[in-house]
């Protein structure tokens, strides 16, 4: 029995394999969350310099992308070896410290790796073997990357949201999750719903309540899951966002004028809608006495 047949016929083998793959992808997502905003900032500075000094030659800096240079300790510059980069296990073996200088390593790295693996395994358990699993994993990993970046920088990069949107539309050609009609309407409705809220909020308060990246993220979710998933996505993201926001103000004394990134809540709600959207909607309708 070859590997693909084993994965197709054994749910346990499939979930275990996806879990291990999720650990590796989680390690890469840590890199994406750290480096992509830096890459974007460098590009913006480069464009500003080219605009302000068009006649001045600008020397290229150190090559920096998602692959090079290799990861280093930010304190001492020690280059991370392959054995020190094994997801979760390396952190435990090193006891959360750099092997060269002993500087504490953030627990966020193994947490992201483990959570990515866990969510990936849940997707495998729920969707089983097939094209929806492959698409669902990519969707999950993209949402995790966007959540991390938005949490850190209040930024949802177009380099992730827009390809995610277009891929969702392309997948609808073969009805991986929804058909083309539901996907196109979902993309348009997802963008316009938050855009309308944004415009109304700005008209009433004179402030910007959210960023354009939130519109694009909800549009991508609509493209992947169809317009039918938007109500439950908006409801869940708004509910969780409101609870977390109020809790931060009451418990931690957070300034209510400091913006809270909304992208992670949209992403979490979109992920839940992918796997249990219909179940959540049906439960709500029964609770409200509408079904």
């Amino acid at each position: 029995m070859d590997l693909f047949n084993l994965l197709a016929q054994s749910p346990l083998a499939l979930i275990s394999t996806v879990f291990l793959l999720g650990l590796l992808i989680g390690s890469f997502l840590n890199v994406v969350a750290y480096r992509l905003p830096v890459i974007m900032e460098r590009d913006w500075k480069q464009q500003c310099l080219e605009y302000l000094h068009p006649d001045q030659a600008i020397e290229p800096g150190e090559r920096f992308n998602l692959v090079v240079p290799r990861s280093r300790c930010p304190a001492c510059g020690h280059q991370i070896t392959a054995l020190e980069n094994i997801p979760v296990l390396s952190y435990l073996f090193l006891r959360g410290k750099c092997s060269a200088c002993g500087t504490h390593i953030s627990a966020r790295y193994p947490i992201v790796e483990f959570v990515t693996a866990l969510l990936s395994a849940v997707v495998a358990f729920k969707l089983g073997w097939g094209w929806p699993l492959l698409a669902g994993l990519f969707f999950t990993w993209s949402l995790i990357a966007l959540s991390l970046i938005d949490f850190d920088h209040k930024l949802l990069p177009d380099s992730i949201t827009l390809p995610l949107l277009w891929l969702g539309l392309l997948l609808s050609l073969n009805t991986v999750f929804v058909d083309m009609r539901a996907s196109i309407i979902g993309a348009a409705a997802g963008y316009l719903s938050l855009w309308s809220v944004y415009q109304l909020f700005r008209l009433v308060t004179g402030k910007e309540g959210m960023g354009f990246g939130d519109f694009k993220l909800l549009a991508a979710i609509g493209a992947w899951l169809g317009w039918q998933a938007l109500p439950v996505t908006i409801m869940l993201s708004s509910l969780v966002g409101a609870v977390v926001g109020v809790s931060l103000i009451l418990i931690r004394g957070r300034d209510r004028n400091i913006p809270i990134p909304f992208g992670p809540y949209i992403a979490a709600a979109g992920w839940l809608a992918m796997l249990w959207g219909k179940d959540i909607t049906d439960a709500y309708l029964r609770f409200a006495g509408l079904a």
Side-chain angles (χ1 to χ4, degrees):
M1 181 183 296
D2 59 35
L3 177 60
F4 289 114
N5 286 333
L6 175 63
L7 296 178
Q9 297 176 19
S10 172
L12 180 60
L14 176 63
I15 294 171
S16 301
T17 301
V18 170
F19 182 86
L20 295 176
L21 177 61
L23 288 174
L24 298 175
I25 296 298
S27 180
F28 176 69
L29 294 183
N30 276 319
V31 175
V32 173
Y34 171 74
R35 294 196 179 192
L36 185 56
V38 176
I39 294 171
M40 296 173 64
E41 182 179 349
R42 291 188 176 192
D43 287 342
W44 294 336
K45 289 181 178 179
Q46 180 80 9
Q47 293 168 11
C48 290
L49 288 174
E50 291 175 354
Y51 177 78
L52 295 173
H53 308 284
D55 300 327
Q56 179 179 336
I58 301 175
E59 296 183 4
E62 177 190 16
R63 187 181 177 193
F64 188 88
N65 53 44
L66 297 180
V67 179
V68 295
R70 289 180 59 180
S71 299
R72 302 187 180 104
C73 172
C76 68
H78 166 68
Q79 192 173 83
I80 307 301
T81 66
L83 290 177
E84 295 172 341
N85 207 28
I86 301 174
V88 180
L89 295 180
S90 291
Y91 183 88
L92 297 176
F93 178 77
L94 294 171
R95 297 181 180 179
K97 298 180 180 180
C98 172
S99 62
C101 67
T103 299
H104 176 70
I105 302 172
S106 173
R108 166 169 156 167
Y109 297 114
I111 290 174
V112 169
E113 292 163 355
F114 180 77
V115 169
T116 301
L118 182 62
L119 296 183
S120 300
V122 172
V123 172
F125 172 77
K126 183 67 175 179
L127 298 182
W129 177 258
W131 287 111
L133 171 60
L134 185 61
L137 289 175
F138 183 82
F139 187 68
T140 300
W141 299 334
S142 299
L143 293 180
I144 292 174
L146 288 168
S147 297
L148 293 173
I149 294 172
D150 198 29
F151 181 81
D152 290 338
H153 302 278
K154 298 180 180 62
L155 177 71
L156 294 170
D158 287 349
S159 56
I160 299 179
T161 56
L162 295 183
L164 193 65
L165 168 61
W166 288 111
L167 182 58
L169 293 173
L170 290 174
L171 289 175
S172 71
L173 295 174
N174 287 324
T175 318
V176 174
F177 286 114
V178 294
D179 58 38
M180 188 187 306
R181 178 183 176 86
S183 178
I184 294 174
I185 296 175
Y191 188 93
L192 291 175
S193 58
L194 288 188
W195 178 86
S196 301
V197 172
Y198 165 86
Q199 296 295 346
L200 180 61
F201 184 83
R202 189 174 69 167
L203 180 64
V204 173
T205 66
K207 301 178 181 179
E208 296 183 356
M210 63 183 68
F212 279 65
D214 297 323
F215 314 161
K216 299 167 190 174
L217 175 55
L218 191 59
I221 292 174
W224 277 72
L225 308 179
W227 62 267
Q228 300 91 334
L230 292 178
V232 66
T233 301
I234 294 173
M235 178 185 69
L236 288 175
S237 60
S238 301
L239 177 62
V240 176
V243 170
V244 172
V246 172
S247 299
L248 288 174
I249 293 173
L250 296 179
I251 298 175
R252 302 182 60 180
R254 182 187 179 99
D255 187 348
R256 66 184 62 189
N257 293 318
I258 298 177
I260 298 175
F262 192 44
Y265 308 123
I266 300 176
W271 186 79
L272 291 172
M274 176 183 68
L275 299 180
W276 296 288
K278 187 176 185 304
D279 296 334
I280 295 173
T281 301
D282 291 343
Y284 174 77
L285 292 177
R286 288 194 298 270
F287 175 78
L290 301 176

